[in-house]
Each structure stands twice: as structure tokens, then as C-alpha cells.
Amino acid sequence: MRYRRLGHSGCAVSELCLGTMTFGNETDEAGAHEQLDVFLEAGGTFVDTADVYSAGVSEEIIGAWLRSRPREVTDRVVLATKGRFAATDQGPNGNGLSTRHLTRALEDSLRRLGVDAVDLYQVHAFDEHTPMEETLRTLDGFVQAGKIHYYGLSNFTGWQLTKAVLTARALGLRQPVTLQPQYSLVVREIEWEIVPAALDAGMGLLPWSPLGVGGSPGSTGVTSGRRGTPASATTPDAAWRPTTGGATTARGASSTPWSGSPRAAGARWPRSPSPGSTTVPRSRRRSSVRARPTSCGPTSRPSTCS
């Protein structure tokens, strides 16, 4: 397992991050704990969850695992969660990036996880109804209070990301260290503006669903997550081309034909667009978690996110 810095921070994380969206839904507690054990045994340290994953059950499962394992194991974990959407409160203030909602959301996440602080707190999506200044002052206050160590953004567009960074600078507040966008061989739109904007701001990239929500590319072509839509209709160029013997290679990733499996290429791809990124695969089975740390192959990119 390789390690990289979390954006422009000094915190090191594993190159692969274990996404836990299936915990409490498709994966029961015993299976989730087994996945976490296997991930840590393989050298993984970065675990990502959110308050809305299984309506908070994912966080509860991780909290139970943290309490049941020795400290020398759990101390290695860099824990990330998210807030923005309604996990339990369905009222008018039950979602968004207001001070009121984020404060309650973070307190609930800390309670479910059973921790005093999380390493990375991410706003799950942009909120057009809340002033950016309010959101950023709230996140900066969480850091000052010791409840989070860093904060990041998720599912922001290029202009939204840039507005957040410039506003934080203008107000003299801490800046976001990461962006978590969707990115895979079949969803590549972030290459146009979002990746350049994140790199210009010195932010680390945490691509989610690097295998296209489990839709591993086939041996001679792929379709996007939208039923019946060819990849060429939703990507800057054709993502795959057939090579001798029916194998495939990712265009733009390397001039050398890819000899590994399509699944391995799909896992490796999100680490190609920048000087460094940490991918966030989500798994349902222990076998998948065990395979991923060794399936991505080597990378010539620097070991730090930037």
C-alpha cells in the first residue's frame, strides 16, 4: 500500500480509501467489520462514510468496530465522514450547509462513531440557499473546537470549489483540503474544469466510485451508468478501445496497452488525472476488499495529493 498526503495538509492517508456506503444496507455488521479488518491488514488507513449512508447505520457500524478493536489498530485509521443531507431530521432545517444543520449533523456523527473528533469532515454537496461565508465560518469553527481536523468538499463543480477557496482566503479562514467527486472510466467530466480547479487550489482528489458503481467495464467496451447510453456520449473521448486478443486499454492513461483485467484498469484509472489522488471504492464482499490493494498496479505519479 502506498501513502499520500491529504491535499495540502500534513496528514498521510493510504492510496486507497474504503468507502462504506453499503454498510448497514447491502453489508451487515459482521461483514462490514470483516472488510475493515482486511483493509487494515492490507495497509489501508483511510475510511470514508457519511451520515446518510443507511440513515446513520454505517457510522454506527464503524463506531462499533472502533470500540471492539485494540487501540494500536484503530489509531492508524484516518476517519472521514460527511454532512449536508437529511439523515434523520426531515424538517425544513434538516438539510443544507447552514450553521444550525451542520452543527447538529456533526454532533450526531460523532455520537454514532463514538469519537471526539473526525479527521476529515466533508460537506456532501453545494447548498445554493446558504451563504458560503456562513458554511466556511462554521467549518473553521469546528476545527478550532477540535471536533474535526480538516474539512473538504464533495460533489462541487469547478466554480463552486473556486468560490469556496477564494472566500476562505478572503476571510482568513482555513481552506478545504480535499474534493470528493465522482470519477471513473465511464464518468470523466471532471477532467474538463473540476480537476484543474482542485489542483490550482492545492486540494487532494478523492474520486468516489472508481469502478462505476460496481459496473466494471467489459473486455471490448463500456456503457455509462445511464442505461443504454454509450460511453462516448458522456465522456470527452472514447474511454476504451479494443486491443489484440480482446484485452482493453484506457486511452490517455498510458501509451502501453494495458494487460491487466478491466476491473484492475477501472480501479487504477482515477489515479491518473492528477499528481495524486486517493480513490474511494465501495465494496460488498470481503474478497473485493482483499483484491483491491493489489489490483491497481504501480503508478509513476508522486506520492502526495496536490
Side-chain angles (χ1 to χ4, degrees):
M1 182 69 71
R2 300 186 181 200
Y3 302 90
R4 299 178 175 185
R5 288 201 306 274
L6 194 61
H8 53 74
S9 78
C11 181
V13 295
S14 54
E15 190 175 59
L16 293 182
C17 174
L18 181 61
T20 63
M21 186 174 68
T22 63
F23 287 9
N25 184 8
E26 299 169 74
T27 307
D28 62 16
E29 183 169 321
H33 286 189
E34 189 174 23
Q35 286 187 25
L36 287 161
D37 289 337
V38 170
F39 183 63
L40 268 290
E41 289 169 6
T45 62
F46 197 11
V47 177
D48 177 77
T49 187
D51 59 359
V52 292
Y53 291 172
S54 303
V57 177
S58 176
E59 290 182 327
E60 292 175 350
I61 288 175
I62 294 171
W65 179 83
L66 290 170
R67 290 189 297 273
S68 65
R69 298 308 188 262
R71 185 168 181 176
E72 58 264 26
V73 173
T74 60
D75 275 353
R76 301 201 305 267
V77 174
V78 178
L79 186 59
T81 191
K82 311 179 195 73
R84 195 283 191 208
F85 299 110
T88 55
D89 182 3
Q90 300 299 319
N93 287 305
N95 64 80
L97 299 182
S98 68
T99 298
R100 185 182 192 277
H101 175 68
L102 285 181
T103 300
R104 295 190 178 193
L106 177 59
E107 291 293 343
D108 287 343
S109 288
L110 295 177
R111 174 181 51 80
R112 286 188 289 261
L113 291 165
V115 297
D116 296 324
V118 293
D119 297 296
L120 178 66
Y121 192 63
Q122 301 157 97
V123 292
H124 214 153
F126 184 72
D127 177 10
E128 63 181 2
H129 302 295
T130 302
M132 183 70 73
E133 294 82 357
E134 178 180 347
T135 300
L136 295 175
R137 290 187 189 279
T138 301
L139 294 168
D140 188 77
F142 291 163
V143 177
Q144 293 186 48
K147 295 182 178 181
I148 68 175
H149 299 147
Y150 310 99
Y151 76 90
L153 314 174
S154 181
N155 301 311
F156 271 46
T157 63
W159 75 264
Q160 293 165 355
L161 177 161
T162 301
K163 180 178 181 180
V165 171
L166 295 181
T167 301
R169 289 177 183 172
L171 296 175
L173 304 174
R174 291 170 179 82
Q175 298 174 39
V177 299
T178 57
L179 172 71
Q180 186 169 158
Q182 184 178 17
Y183 186 55
S184 68
L185 273 167
V186 295
V187 181
R188 295 176 54 193
E189 289 87 345
I190 70 167
E191 296 173 3
W192 298 335
E193 292 187 359
I194 297 176
V195 169
L199 295 181
D200 181 68
M203 297 171 65
L205 292 170
L206 311 177
W208 61 265
S209 194
L211 297 181
V213 198
S216 300
S219 61
T220 57
V222 295
T223 59
S224 77
R226 306 173 183 87
R227 184 184 298 272
T229 305
S232 59
T234 57
T235 56
D237 54 14
W240 289 85
R241 66 174 184 268
T243 59
T244 304
T248 57
T249 182
R251 182 182 300 186
S254 173
S255 59
T256 304
W258 174 255
S259 59
S261 70
R263 187 179 185 87
R268 182 182 181 182
W269 176 267
R271 293 181 289 172
S272 301
S274 72
S277 59
T278 294
T279 60
V280 189
R282 288 151 184 166
S283 177
R284 299 176 179 85
R285 301 181 302 277
R286 167 179 174 163
S287 59
S288 298
V289 177
R290 186 178 295 279
R292 282 180 181 138
T294 58
S295 67
C296 292
T299 176
S300 60
R301 302 289 179 175
S303 60
T304 59
C305 287
S306 62

